[in-house]
Amino acid sequence: MGVEILEQSVEKVVATMPVEGNRQSFGLLHGGASLAVGEAVGSWAAVIHASTLGKTAVGVDVSATHHRSARSGRVTVTATPIHLGRTLTTHEVLIENEDGQRLCTMRITNLLLDRPIPG
């Protein structure tokens, strides 16, 4: 998918992804690619918080609204916390084009677990 992490902390995770290679058959950014990158970035943000508590995180809910699409360039994906608890986290994930226009708004909730996820 070509995702690059630009910034990562408990307060914010920022990544970019090229539209090229992530298009659907009509030449637009694929909605599934938006959801995949948004869930990955939001979950990474939850894992960062969970690690401060000696825990790990797993996704339990994600929802998205697609506002517009893109045909070229790179999108920026930013996850910021709405709630950072001891058992749940919720993050807002914004996907924007190079002009700063909002393409997608997501919300992801992660469950924090006391032990690593079994392999």
Side-chain angles (χ1 to χ4, degrees):
M1 292 182 70
V3 177
E4 294 180 32
I5 302 291
L6 303 179
E7 179 181 340
Q8 53 185 333
S9 69
V10 171
E11 293 81 26
K12 181 175 15 175
V13 175
V14 181
T16 63
M17 181 183 77
V19 174
E20 179 71 35
N22 293 298
R23 294 188 188 122
Q24 39 90 309
S25 57
F26 297 118
L28 301 171
L29 175 62
H30 197 293
S34 294
L35 279 161
V37 71
E39 185 165 3
V41 172
S43 290
W44 185 243
V47 166
I48 293 170
H49 169 66
S51 71
T52 68
L53 304 171
K55 297 182 177 190
T56 191
V58 295
V60 294
D61 183 67
V62 64
S63 64
T65 301
H66 300 286
H67 307 290
R68 63 178 62 212
S69 193
R71 291 185 179 274
S72 63
R74 293 186 76 78
V75 296
T76 299
V77 186
T78 305
T80 54
I82 296 169
H83 171 74
L84 296 175
R86 290 184 291 188
T87 57
L88 284 177
T89 65
T90 303
H91 286 81
E92 179 180 58
V93 182
L94 301 179
I95 301 176
E96 299 173 310
N97 64 18
E98 293 175 323
D99 294 328
Q101 296 171 312
R102 187 180 296 218
L103 306 180
C104 182
T105 303
M106 297 177 63
R107 189 194 73 221
I108 182 168
T109 299
N110 281 271
L111 175 65
L112 304 186
L113 300 175
D114 287 326
R115 60 187 191 288
I117 301 165

